[in-house]
């Protein structure tokens, strides 16, 4: 097996062979996905970094890796600092770094199938100052030196039944066609894998934990669509499901189809479509109009069938979580439970229900100091034992055909009572969680306007957390879904300006992290719903909490809670018991009764 140093050396030799002075390696695929298939994990193969967001630049004599605040600790654990310099985003960027480090007159290569058009423009502008050029490559040089690179998945694509989708693919295509016609567009290119899956009501297993099939769609103003997908993935059942209005082509014909769009006005999402698609349309003589994917907002606004499915999935998932939390309470203080064995046990509890399709992401199972790593991913090398008298954080989720779950619980591993500082921090996080859960806000309110609700009690103690408070969640789709988001508006974070609308599902997940000691996060999913308020002057919204599992009562400093906050927690626990009790028995039920008792 090659070392990461040998891989970096091999890439540099390939770049010299290709006449390039440098190359940019993102975590991305041809669909601008957040989570990518094994074949596209180029950054991890090259550097060892296993996070879900980041990029690297390789020059002849230096190399840099770029990550945001979620991965500051992880990148130093996984990537050799003798080979790579660590760069923090958004304090710097690939464009800024290249503007300072690219050799004068250099040719810096990039794969146009892995970057957005906006990214290309920003890097070109930075390189201009050094008379350097950004050059699209015909073949990715990482692929040339990655000898055992996995192939793209050829798993079949399957229909997603209307009984779970709540709307037929025909109706969805008709709505897109109406949007195209009303805006004077001839077609739109749908590249995001979850958008393709939602539009055609299909699912797949091509990306770990996200039930999508590798494919592209061109949707037309006459209501027809062209699907580009590997022939091995297509079955008679899928053809029957798609119907006569959806033409199926081999995936490799996609670029050819773009080349045939001369004279057509084509809507393309600049955030979700790679630069190569824009380049192909320009070269064909088409008019490419940069506009948001018309599927994104309808996908985010769950219909009544999807909402009901989510509630059913959450109830099922909550029972598994409750059984797991009791197991942790009994077994962890004995000293034999590790982060890995805990994650495996939790997955087993979910699987025992018989309806689990997959996890919705790799379980974040963080004991003690590992819990302070926000997006920690446990491995054989890093797995810690859940020590007695310590904090354990577990962030996990399941993919069910009727819904996608995401929940975080933080618990104290006994036998002694929790430390006063831990209780204080936990209660401040809880107060923020409750404040957001109870929020009432007028139509038009964006996620950024609600973010401080969850942070205020930490701020009062001079504390904060370096991640967003809430992300959108799909319906048996991506666990991170746009366009809605609850986060600080600074830093140009996507989605923070999107108004929250009834039917949207988001996470509510404030946290606190003490580096080297412990992490705390409390996460439920919530549904935006209309609120009837007597005398209201306008339309107002609030949140329905969808997630049901006990919150650790022994970590709550009751004196810090207001009467309203105590009432919220007691009411929440009463609902948890009502939802979960019919699914539990024996010791599990007895534990639930105690865990949900009023404060």
């Amino acid at each position: 097996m090659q070392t990461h140093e040998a891989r970096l050396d091999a890439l540099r030799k390939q770049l010299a062979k290709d006449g390039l002075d440098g190359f940019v390696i993102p975590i991305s695929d041809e669909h601008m996905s957040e989570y990518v298939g094994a074949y596209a994990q180029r950054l991890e193969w090259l550097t060892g970094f296993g996070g879900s967001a980041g990029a690297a630049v390789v020059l002849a004599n230096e190399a840099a890796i770029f990550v945001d605040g979620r991965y500051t600790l992880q990148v130093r654990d996984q990537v050799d600092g003798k080979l790579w310099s660590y760069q923090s985003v958004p304090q710097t960027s690939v464009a800024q770094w290249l503007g300072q480090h690219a050799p004068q007159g250099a040719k810096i290569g990039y794969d146009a199938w892995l970057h957005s058009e906006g990214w290309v423009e920003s890097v070109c502008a930075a390189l201009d100052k050094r008379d350097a050029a950004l050059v699209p490559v015909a073949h990715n040089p990482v692929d040339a030196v990655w000898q055992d690179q996995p192939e793209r998945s050829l798993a079949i694509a399957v229909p997603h039944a209307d009984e779970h989708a709540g709307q037929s693919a025909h109706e969805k295509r008709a709505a897109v066609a109406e949007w195209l016609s009303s805006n004077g567009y001839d077609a739109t290119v749908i590249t995001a894998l979850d958008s393709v899956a939602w539009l055609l009501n299909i699912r797949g297993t091509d990306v770990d934990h996200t039930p999508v099939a590798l494919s592209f769609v061109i949707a037309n103003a006459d209501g027809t669509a062209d699907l580009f997908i590997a022939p091995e993935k297509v079955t008679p059942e899928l053809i029957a499901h798609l119907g006569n209005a959806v033409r199926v082509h081999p995936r490799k014909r996609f670029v050819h189809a773009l080349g045939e769009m001369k004279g057509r006005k084509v809507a393309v999402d600049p955030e979700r479509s790679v630069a190569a698609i824009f380049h192909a349309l320009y070269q064909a003589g088409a008019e490419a109009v940069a506009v948001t994917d018309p599927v994104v907002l309808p996908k985010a606004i769950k219909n009544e069938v999807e909402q009901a499915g989510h509630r059913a999935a959450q109830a099922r998932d909550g029972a598994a979580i409750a059984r797991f939390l009791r197991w942790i309470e009994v077994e962890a203080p004995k000293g034999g439970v590790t982060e890995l064995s805990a994650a495996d046990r939790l997955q087993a509890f979910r699987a025992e229900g018989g309806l689990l399709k997959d996890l919705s992401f790799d379980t974040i199972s963080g004991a003690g100091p590992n819990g302070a790593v926000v997006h920690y991913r446990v491995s054989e090398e890093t797995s810690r034992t859940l020590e007695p008298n310590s904090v354990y954080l577990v962030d996990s989720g399941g993919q069910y055909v009727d819904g996608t779950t995401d929940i975080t619980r933080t618990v104290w591993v006994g036998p002694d009572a929790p430390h006063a500082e831990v209780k204080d921090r936990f209660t401040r996080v809880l107060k923020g969680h409750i404040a957001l859960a109870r929020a009432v806000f007028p139509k038009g309110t964006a996620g950024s306007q609600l973010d401080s609700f969850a942070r205020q009690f930490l701020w009062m103690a001079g504390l904060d957390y370096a991640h967003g408070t809430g992300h959108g969640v799909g319906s048996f789709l991506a666990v991170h879904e746009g366009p809605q988001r609850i986060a600080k508006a600074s830093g140009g974070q996507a989605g923070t300006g999107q108004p929250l609308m009834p039917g949207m599902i988001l996470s509510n997940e404030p946290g606190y992290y003490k580096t080297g000691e412990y992490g705390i996060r409390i996460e439920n999913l919530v549904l935006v719903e209309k609120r009837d308020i007597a005398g209201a002057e306008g339309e107002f919204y609030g949140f329905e909490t969808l997630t049901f599992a006990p919150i650790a009562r022994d970590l709550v400093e009751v004196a810090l809670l207001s009467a309203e906050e105590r009432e919220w927690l007691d009411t929440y626990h009463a609902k948890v018991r009502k939802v979960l009790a019919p699914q539990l028995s024996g010791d599990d039920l007895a534990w639930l009764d105690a865990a949900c008792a009023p404060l």
Side-chain angles (χ1 to χ4, degrees), residues 81 91 96 119 134 138 142 168 222 315 383 403 413 419 492 554 570 587:
Q91 290 86 347
Q96 290 170 322
W119 180 90
L134 188 65
V142 176
S168 71
D222 63 2
S383 182
V413 178
H419 305 150
D554 61 341
D570 286 345
D587 291 342

Side-chain angles (χ1 to χ4, degrees), residues 117-132:
E117 182 81 335
W119 180 90
V120 172
E121 291 171 357
S122 68
V123 175
C124 285
L127 289 174
D128 278 348
K129 301 169 187 173
R130 304 182 75 83
D131 293 322

Side-chain angles (χ1 to χ4, degrees), residues 169 173 200 217 223-227 239 241-249:
R173 289 198 321 275
L200 298 184
V217 163
T224 65
D226 294 274
L227 171 65
I239 293 292
H241 163 77
L242 293 171
N244 295 334
V246 179
R247 297 173 288 269
V248 180
H249 313 270

